[in-house]
Amino acid sequence: MKVLVLNSGSSSQKSALFEIDRRSCGEAPEPLWQAKIEWSGPAPELVVNAASGGTIRDRANIVDRRGVIEHMLETLWAGKTRVLGSASEIDVVAHRVVHGGPHLTDPIEITPAVKSTLAHAGAFAPLHSRSELEGIELVDRLLPRVPQVAVFDTGFHRTLPRRAAQYPGPYDWFEEGIRRYGFHGINHQYCAQRAARLLDLRLESLKIVSCHLGNGCSLAAIQGGESVDTTMGFTPLEGLMMGTRSGSIDPGILTYLVRETSMSGEDLDAMLNRQAGLLAISGLSADMRDIESGITKGNTRAQLAFDMFVHHLHKNIAAMASVLGGVDVLTFTAGIGENSAKVRSAACAQLSFMGVKLDADKNSRLRLEGEISSFDSKVRILVIRAQEDWAIAQASLRIIEHSRRGQGKSFFT
Ligand code: AMP
């Protein structure tokens, strides 16, 4: 089985091809082929790596988005990164869809009806939705016989109880779709399952606080494998301070700015999503590596940005723990969570009252993933490598295999 994953973001398009057989559940294999397009910069940059050793890194001289994605996909079956004899060897194409809106939660095979529901849900995340629908249309055209599946980043949080999902605004908001959805669900769910496996404990018995700390940052409170609260809400702007996003601020600031300045909705959106967070406070960079090196050079704004990031982080971890009524496992994942021993150490230091005790040596030496709690910590602390594309590939395969079995067929027979 060959599953192609398309993971389109507002500023980049990632893609990976996995080969899956009956035994390959659990451990994430290396993909056969991986590609990324960065849309920022003077021209889109394409980077492709094939397991066979072939690589491409160039600036595409095609300007239209579809043309660049098509060019990226062609590197699967042509040129030095070729890993397929032809496009027809692909069995399933899986798309990460950021926002499923109120009606789409579970992974689903994409039909014309699903496409139209997706188009309506686009109002909730216009930037992402445009590139997701573009990807689906392109695959329809290039690989018309290949089934496509949508896997939703909001889906894992469908189990949020109403008291956590409803905003204390007008009662009717909920029915109108203005509610807390939560994001990073594909990775939060993967981390919870991976944590149980690494610790050899039953997921059903665990209270987990999952910290996804990358360009976007969110926490999830997970009980018995289900999300019961999370820090992101209606959009991926709520909650923690992030690279360029503010996280939660007093909404009164927005009404003040609209009233007292000439800022439009679009201006506010740009300010809170792209010109806030670590970038705005440090005046240096949205990248935690630059913040940490700024601190070593005595940059006081970098120090403030770091301190604020950690403040919001441990405050919200404690909030998630209180929702769970305790915590057994704390997991760190994504770019900052996996790589910044300093962030993990500073956040955990403030959580010692909850029985969180980091092993400083394990924390600073860790490579990739593993346990970093001290032997007497009441809470097990793990670093887990994000494997979003692999989780998407597995989810899509399950749904396609299920529908094939319903028709008396299977990919694996
Ligand atoms: P992601 O969205 O998961 O790709 O995470 C991207 C972010 O991870 C970057 O913006 C950096 O802030 C952060 N990051 C990556 N590597 C490191 C590192 N070695 N130390 C600290 N932060 C890192």
Side-chain angles (χ1 to χ4, degrees):
M1 280 289 309
K2 293 199 174 65
V3 183
L4 175 67
V5 177
L6 290 185
N7 187 338
S8 51
S10 50
S11 61
S12 70
Q13 164 76 57
K14 293 185 207 157
S15 194
L17 181 77
F18 290 97
E19 173 131 53
I20 306 183
D21 64 28
R22 239 184 227 292
R23 288 153 293 148
S24 54
C25 48
E27 294 292 318
E30 282 306 312
L32 290 178
W33 168 100
Q34 244 179 328
K36 187 174 182 189
I37 304 167
E38 281 287 353
W39 299 113
S40 50
E45 184 182 41
L46 174 66
V47 180
V48 187
N49 290 300
S52 52
T55 58
I56 297 173
R57 177 181 282 273
D58 61 17
R59 293 230 170 246
N61 50 12
I62 316 166
V63 272
D64 102 274
R65 287 171 67 97
R66 277 168 214 233
V68 182
I69 300 172
E70 195 166 335
H71 174 54
M72 175 189 83
L73 293 179
E74 279 164 5
T75 69
L76 276 164
W77 53 82
K80 57 185 173 181
T81 58
R82 175 173 181 235
V83 288
L84 299 176
S86 74
S88 62
E89 288 176 30
I90 297 170
D91 296 291
V92 180
V93 178
H95 298 264
R96 169 180 174 249
V97 174
V98 166
H99 210 309
H103 305 298
L104 294 171
T105 51
D106 292 325
I108 191 166
E109 188 164 353
I110 300 173
T111 60
V114 170
K115 250 192 276 178
S116 108
T117 314
L118 278 174
H120 282 109
F124 294 95
L127 272 183
H128 283 98
S129 168
R130 194 179 65 121
S131 38
E132 288 155 7
L133 287 167
E134 237 170 49
I136 294 168
E137 296 293 346
L138 188 67
V139 174
D140 262 347
R141 188 159 61 73
L142 292 178
L143 312 166
R145 276 186 286 281
V146 178
Q148 299 193 65
V149 175
V151 183
F152 302 97
D153 223 11
T154 44
F156 178 55
H157 303 295
R158 66 184 169 284
T159 45
L160 249 58
R162 178 89 179 229
R163 61 181 176 275
Q166 173 126 23
Y167 284 107
Y171 181 80
D172 293 343
W173 269 6
F174 194 87
E175 289 309 318
E176 290 162 15
I178 303 176
R179 44 158 293 187
R180 305 187 65 252
Y181 291 95
F183 297 86
H184 296 142
I186 297 163
N187 196 40
H188 282 306
Q189 182 171 30
Y190 171 80
C191 286
Q193 290 166 348
R194 181 86 181 136
R197 193 167 299 130
L198 288 174
L199 296 171
D200 200 17
L201 293 169
R202 284 178 56 248
L203 180 57
E204 295 70 30
S205 68
L206 294 177
K207 293 174 175 177
I208 301 174
V209 176
S210 164
C211 310
H212 179 113
L213 310 175
N215 282 319
C217 301
S218 75
L219 308 180
I222 301 169
Q223 180 145 30
E226 294 189 344
S227 174
V228 292
D229 206 351
T230 186
T231 54
M232 283 180 169
F234 179 62
T235 72
L237 186 53
E238 191 179 338
L240 301 174
M241 175 177 175
M242 309 179 212
T244 63
R245 282 174 249 170
S246 62
S248 292
I249 56 163
D250 180 351
I253 298 170
L254 306 184
T255 47
Y256 167 82
L257 288 174
V258 168
R259 196 173 62 240
E260 301 294 329
T261 72
S262 55
M263 286 184 88
S264 66
E266 271 174 22
D267 295 336
L268 292 174
D269 190 73
M271 183 179 74
L272 297 178
N273 278 298
R274 296 196 290 280
Q275 297 144 23
L278 292 174
L279 175 66
I281 301 303
S282 69
L284 191 68
S285 167
D287 191 316
M288 188 55 86
R289 285 166 288 202
D290 298 331
I291 304 294
E292 289 181 6
S293 76
I295 293 171
T296 58
K297 291 178 194 133
N299 184 319
T300 52
R301 279 181 62 179
Q303 183 71 59
L304 176 63
F306 182 90
D307 292 346
M308 285 173 64
F309 184 88
V310 170
H311 173 80
H312 288 279
L313 176 58
H314 67 70
K315 186 169 101 170
N316 280 281
I317 291 174
M320 291 294 121
S322 82
V323 170
L324 292 168
V327 52
D328 303 308
V329 185
L330 181 61
T331 60
F332 289 97
T333 183
I336 300 173
E338 290 166 40
N339 296 298
S340 177
K342 289 194 174 74
V343 167
R344 295 192 301 254
S345 154
C348 288
Q350 283 298 114
L351 297 168
S352 57
F353 75 96
M354 284 171 20
V356 171
K357 203 165 164 196
L358 204 71
D359 181 313
D361 206 39
K362 284 185 196 161
N363 184 42
S364 58
R365 283 166 188 268
L366 185 92
R367 295 284 166 269
L368 290 182
E369 67 177 14
E371 185 163 4
I372 54 170
S373 33
S374 91
F375 71 95
D376 56 346
S377 179
K378 284 198 194 123
V379 178
R380 309 284 294 267
I381 314 166
L382 297 176
V383 175
I384 294 178
R385 196 175 160 206
Q387 296 285 3
E388 204 174 41
D389 289 342
W390 170 239
I392 294 168
Q394 282 186 302
S396 66
L397 188 56
R398 272 195 295 274
I399 200 80
I400 291 293
E401 182 64 2
H402 183 74
S403 94
R404 293 291 174 280
R405 291 233 166 115
Q407 298 162 16
K409 298 183 232 161
S410 167
F411 275 119
F412 295 119
T413 50

